[in-house]
Amino acid sequence: MSKQTPKSKSRKELAKVAEASIESVPEIVEAPEKKILIKQKTPEEKQKAHKEGIIKTIVSSILGIISGVVMFSQYGAGEDRIWYAILAIVIGITYYVQRILYPMIKIDVKEFKAKDWLFVEFIVVDFFLVTWTLLLN
């Protein structure tokens, strides 16, 4: 038989201690899984949501173009105005116009969340700035 060196002896003892500690630990009790039910949309609902999304995008882009033309006709280059005041005016007016306009075209405004309002206002501001910039050149 071979002699055990102190190094090999300590390794074997550590392995035995590790095995014993793993066996002595009680098993972790798993909590029952919570099932998240996601409402599946029917094809008709998906199609309706898609159409409403397109309409919302078109309406907000048209409002952005109109506000760009109006601000150009009112303020021109806007050098004597504060730029963020003009932007705040556009955002405020178009927000309330959309709140009035969407129910007229059968889009439920009550279903809108903050994300939806930010989306349509972002499109308005983009089209407003692009239109105004193109008219300045």
Side-chain angles (χ1 to χ4, degrees):
M1 284 203 202
S2 64
K3 270 186 153 177
Q4 286 186 342
T5 62
K7 263 189 176 179
S8 64
K9 188 176 184 180
S10 64
R11 285 184 193 159
K12 288 181 181 179
E13 288 175 2
L14 287 175
K16 287 180 185 177
V17 170
E19 287 176 11
S21 64
I22 291 174
E23 292 172 0
S24 66
V25 174
E27 292 187 26
I28 299 173
V29 178
E30 293 184 17
E33 293 182 25
K34 294 182 181 177
K35 293 184 179 182
I36 300 172
L37 298 176
I38 298 173
K39 182 182 175 190
Q40 298 292 329
K41 291 184 178 181
T42 63
E44 293 84 21
E45 289 174 335
K46 288 180 183 178
Q47 187 176 15
K48 181 183 175 193
H50 185 69
K51 284 181 183 179
E52 285 182 357
I54 292 171
I55 291 171
K56 288 186 275 189
T57 304
I58 291 172
V59 168
S60 58
S61 60
I62 290 172
L63 282 174
I65 293 169
I66 291 171
S67 55
V69 170
V70 168
M71 289 299 167
F72 178 74
S73 67
Q74 291 293 316
Y75 299 121
E79 293 173 347
D80 57 338
R81 305 279 183 216
I82 301 171
W83 67 270
Y84 52 85
I86 294 173
L87 198 60
I89 291 169
V90 168
I91 290 172
I93 290 174
T94 57
Y95 171 75
Y96 286 108
V97 167
Q98 290 178 75
R99 294 224 18 138
I100 294 169
L101 191 62
Y102 285 145
M104 290 179 173
I105 54 177
K106 307 284 192 264
I107 294 179
D108 190 15
V109 180
K110 294 176 183 174
E111 291 181 6
F112 272 39
K113 297 176 183 166
K115 181 181 88 169
D116 298 320
W117 285 115
L118 288 173
F119 167 72
V120 293
E121 285 302 322
F122 177 75
I123 292 175
V124 167
V125 170
D126 280 349
F127 274 86
F128 160 69
L129 292 174
V130 167
T131 304
W132 199 11
T133 303
L134 288 175
L135 291 173
L136 288 173
N137 290 327

